[in-house]
Amino acid sequence: MIGRLSLLFLATSLCGPPAFAVDANEAEHSRLTAEMKKLAARSAWRGVEESFQRLEALAADGLQPTYDDYLVGAQAAGALGHIDNAYGRLRAAAKIEGKLEVVEWMEEIEQNFRSVELSSARKEAIELTADQMPFAPDRRAAIAYAQSQVAETGGFVGRLPLGTYAIAGIPFSVEASQTEPTQIHVKPVKISQEGLAFVGPRGTLGLVYTAAGDSPGEAYEPAAFGGAGPRMGMGVEVGLRPHLAVLAEVGYHGLMAGADAIDGISEAQQNALGSHGDTLHLGYGWLAVSYRMDDFWLTGGPVWSAGSGHVTGANDYCISSPDPECQGASAEPALLEGEVLVGSVQAGGFAFSASYALIEFGKLHGALSFVAGAQTDSSRLYPWGELAFTFAPMATK
Amino acid sequence: MLGWLFLLLVPLTAEAGKVSVAEDGHAYNPAWSPDGQWLAFELNRYGDAVDLYAVRVNDGVPAVPNKVNIKSGGSSFSSGVSVLANPVWHPQGQLFFEGGINGATNRLFYWAPQSASKPAQELLSQSDAKGDLSWPTLRPDGQVVAFVSDQTGNGDVYLWEAGRGKVERAFTTNFSEGAPAFSEDGSLLAFSRKNQGTEDLFTWAGGASTKPLKGGAGDQSRPVFAGGKVVYFTSERGEATWDIAVVNGDGSGRKVIARDVRLPIRAKPALTPDKKSVIYAASDPGKGHLLFVTSLDGAKTTEIDTGGLVACGEPSAVKAGGKVFLSYTALPSEGSDWRHLHIKDVTGKVH
């Protein structure tokens, strides 16, 4: 008797799942179907999707989703932007019952979506953008889903609504005429043979105001002076990374201030002394590091200048003390205020600039810059500020 | 014999004028698509059930109406009582409306007649816009949807721009607003506000402030722009007595141009396609077979006889293929159970 029962049990086991297992799966199927309906009524599509996937898993035990299950599953997939899944579920529903609603829905996907295969070899995160977001919720969801996939994994394989897009700045379009998937592969950031992201000329032209402080020393030196002048430079900027560059720039830094009338000195005396205001003609060299945040650039580094100056007026020390060191062209101390001192300047310091790129021409950006610096020749400080137009190479996208 | 058969078949496939719906119910609130190819309307089945239909119309002849579903698997959800209402058309031909099932939150939906069997899709998720959403209206360029949400407890006007995908509250007040409508150039939004117990009209031109347009006794309600003027319903002469008034966009030059009109269930005043006149029905049962077209300056009124129908109302007009078609609802006769939707060629009478 036991032997017969064992045989019966064995036969039952070999023929398929035991009856109680089938009942349990059917109950689970019914529960999931009811759950999907409830969640769908609340537009809780993530929940519907999870339930549908569990429902699909029951297919291994022979319990296929019904027509309505597939339809609700398609609605969930569409609402979440998984258009390939939605289409697959509609096709499965159509195999069960080829109703108009399914056929029209499939046709709508076929007419308004096309397949794309997007991938990236870049290590950094990239972005998928759409030129225009459509109104239709499933099309919006499809774009949003593709965007999330691109941001998270660098790629996306699936359907996108017809339209114009860009991935990592590379434009592409999804057109009704295409029969094959649009394939876009984003290559790594192009590094030149020198291992650089970009290289190009950099130049600047602007108006600078320079102030020279009074010399604190007990020596025959010019008084404090200041004035505006042109500042222009040319150089090269080398991108080590798309956002990070170094630059070297040489140029001219000028100061040209007119002569003022001096109390106690007649015009004839002033002419005799050669008083003609203050000038400073400097050549400069600047080495700097530049950090780019899209159109906003910050640049800073050491600057060194050398040149000559003509300055009217001796310093306060010489005017107020009878120091024999203070012997200029005039032996009369009262005339020292109008005396012209000629000399050379060598000053080092630091210069910083903030630029905002406004235009593009060729492979160059044009930017509005504010440049400021402070230099010293060991006897006085030369702070200066400049408003300039700067051009610099475009970073590789 | 073939000729007789043909004559018999024609009325079964398409009857000029009347829109035949398989289900019983009162037809309300017809809204033409901008190209005049589609007509959306509500079918009130009572029991808190309002269905939405869209019917293709070819030269004034309606086809079989499509019932707009908001969920798929129709049989699975057939037990749900739904209210789908306030249809408005996008310039590119898609339908926007409000709706809810089983008393759940009222949401905004999107439906495209090109795939008529596909369920309508929820336009904005709960995370995009909370609360019951109602009164959808589109900026004439089709890029912005304005609607009302009761998230704060009052009705507040919100804007959703498709390109930016962001929902923003237009302005902040402690009052309840409704029935927003854009001006033709999209720069101005008119709306009604429950203000001191009754509805008044206001406008908003961006920024934080709103501007009174028209107040006064009774309700000033459901504004719609027409060439720089605002047309609206007013009950200033007493509750349940409705007139149509016109006011300039700056609040000046107000004039009542039609008195004792039949107030539609939800619709705003119906304008003629050239936006120079308003179409309405009379509240007087004795004039129930007529529709009236009055110029916005109030100088001229034309009657349109519907030919024996009674209790006419809910007019809506469109220009298509060089003709002007008027849709309206009416009872076939006194004591009839259901209001039906009709389409009439009014070329020459309405411009």
Side-chain angles (χ1 to χ4, degrees), chain B residues 137-184:
Chain B
T137 189
L138 281 146
R139 202 169 67 184
D141 65 2
Q143 294 302 306
V144 176
V145 182
F147 59 93
V148 172
S149 166
D150 72 347
Q151 182 189 351
T152 63
N154 296 318
D156 298 303
V157 178
Y158 287 74
L159 301 172
W160 179 61
E161 193 173 345
R164 294 170 57 220
K166 198 173 177 185
V167 173
E168 290 174 328
R169 193 167 163 186
F171 47 84
T172 305
T173 68
N174 293 323
F175 302 103
S176 186
E177 282 93 14
F182 281 103
S183 60
E184 286 92 338

Side-chain angles (χ1 to χ4, degrees), chain A residues 43 68 75 104 108 135 138, chain B residues 72 76 117-118 121-122 142:
Chain A
S43 298
D68 278 355
Q75 201 172 0
E104 273 193 356
E108 194 252 340
F135 261 115
D138 56 352
Chain B
S72 64
S76 310
S117 302
K118 183 180 173 183
Q121 302 167 67
E122 195 172 328

